[in-house]
């Protein structure tokens, strides 16, 4: 927005069904967050939730993720993000579509814990 500092933050927002993307520097993203009332995580010193490496991306956890991870934000390095995506896609494809609404949140919390453990296990086995 300022046109002077490097835009190291990529922000994708969907508001009323309309997607917008912004590339912002550290100062502008904080200003944008304050003005728009958003609580945005930043990568300043963030570490990967799984391996402890330098985080390359992150975002707010959904309610079931907060319940499982006990963290408001979830940061990952590129390798762990790829594993997370792979395991999530695989797991969700086998999720029953007729799960009663009162069991959905509980199952999502369980799935999150299982996937998180799978990512950690793979990271350990790859570096072991």
């Amino acid at each position: 927005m300022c046109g002077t500092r490097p835009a190291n933050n990529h922000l994708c927002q969907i508001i009323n069904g309309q997607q917008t993307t912004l590339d912002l520097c550290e100062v502008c993203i904080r200003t944008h967050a304050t003005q728009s009332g958003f609580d945005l995580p930043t990568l300043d010193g963030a570490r990967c939730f799984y391996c402890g490496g330098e985080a390359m991306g992150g975002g707010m956890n959904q309610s079931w993720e907060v319940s499982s991870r006990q963290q408001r934000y979830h940061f990952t390095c590129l390798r762990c993000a790829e594993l997370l995506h792979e395991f999530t896609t695989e797991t969700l494809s086998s999720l029953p579509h007729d799960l009663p609404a009162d069991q959905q949140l509980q199952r999502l919390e369980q799935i999150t814990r299982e996937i998180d453990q799978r990512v950690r296990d793979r990271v350990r086995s790859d570096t072991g």
Side-chain angles (χ1 to χ4, degrees):
M1 292 174 82
C2 65
T4 57
R5 292 176 293 273
N8 297 331
N9 298 280
H10 179 75
L11 177 63
C12 175
Q13 297 174 295
I14 300 174
I15 301 172
N16 297 325
Q18 294 294 318
Q19 179 177 327
T20 60
T21 58
L22 298 169
D23 293 312
L24 305 168
C25 71
E26 291 298 323
V27 173
C28 290
I29 196 166
R30 292 170 207 262
T31 301
H32 177 74
T34 301
Q35 291 174 347
S36 60
F38 290 114
D39 183 18
L40 297 175
T42 63
L43 292 176
D44 295 339
R47 309 306 294 175
C48 177
F49 178 74
Y50 303 103
C51 71
E54 181 181 355
M56 301 301 287
M60 291 183 74
N61 280 318
Q62 298 293 327
S63 62
W64 65 86
E65 294 169 317
V66 171
S67 177
S68 298
R69 295 178 176 140
Q70 300 300 303
Q71 294 184 6
R72 186 170 184 166
Y73 302 110
H74 185 240
F75 296 101
T76 61
C77 66
L78 183 58
R79 172 69 175 135
C80 292
E82 289 173 351
L83 290 170
L84 178 65
H85 175 73
E86 175 186 334
F87 296 150
T88 300
T89 301
E90 179 183 301
T91 302
L92 291 179
S93 68
S94 64
L95 188 65
H97 296 289
D98 59 349
L99 197 62
D102 62 330
Q103 295 177 20
Q104 289 177 7
L105 184 58
Q106 182 180 4
R107 182 67 181 123
L108 285 171
E109 290 173 2
Q110 179 184 7
I111 287 171
T112 299
R113 286 189 297 276
E114 291 169 359
I115 292 171
D116 287 349
Q117 189 60 53
R118 286 183 68 191
V119 173
R120 285 192 187 98
D121 290 346
R122 174 69 69 82
V123 168
R124 276 195 290 270
S125 72
D126 288 351
T127 59

